[in-house]
Amino acid sequence: MKVITSYAVAVEEADWPGFLALFTPDGRADYTAAGGVEGPAGQVAEWLGDALRPFGVRQLLIVNRRLRFQDTDGYPGNHAEVTAGYLSAAA
């Protein structure tokens, strides 16, 4: 779950290179449940940066973490999906 905490810290600190480093080259993120975008990590980082730019202080609390590993192409664990609830506060 260290990756999830690192994700929250990267968003809080607007550390987009750090955010992108948490994803594989084909990694994606989905913020559609919050009215945002879904897509490649780079596209999502750009959207987050624009959406959060007006806020000098951000806090992202991530809860109810669920991590699923899938076996694809005969290699166990070569695909992972993380689902988590979050509360975002900005000022």
Side-chain angles (χ1 to χ4, degrees):
M1 298 299 170
K2 180 179 178 181
V3 171
I4 298 171
T5 300
S6 296
Y7 180 96
V9 171
V11 172
E12 286 178 354
E13 296 178 354
D15 175 9
W16 307 121
F19 176 90
L20 292 173
L22 298 168
F23 290 84
T24 60
D26 61 344
R28 302 177 68 80
D30 185 349
Y31 276 83
T32 56
V37 299
E38 184 277 331
Q43 177 185 343
V44 173
E46 185 176 320
W47 172 79
L48 279 168
D50 290 344
L52 296 175
R53 188 168 289 114
F55 305 102
V57 177
R58 296 171 289 277
Q59 185 173 29
L60 185 63
L61 306 173
I62 299 181
V63 298
N64 299 334
R65 302 164 183 161
R66 183 177 12 195
L67 177 60
R68 289 187 213 110
F69 291 101
Q70 296 176 0
D71 180 354
T72 56
D73 301 325
Y75 297 98
N78 68 348
H79 178 88
E81 180 179 301
V82 176
T83 305
Y86 66 92
L87 173 63
S88 180

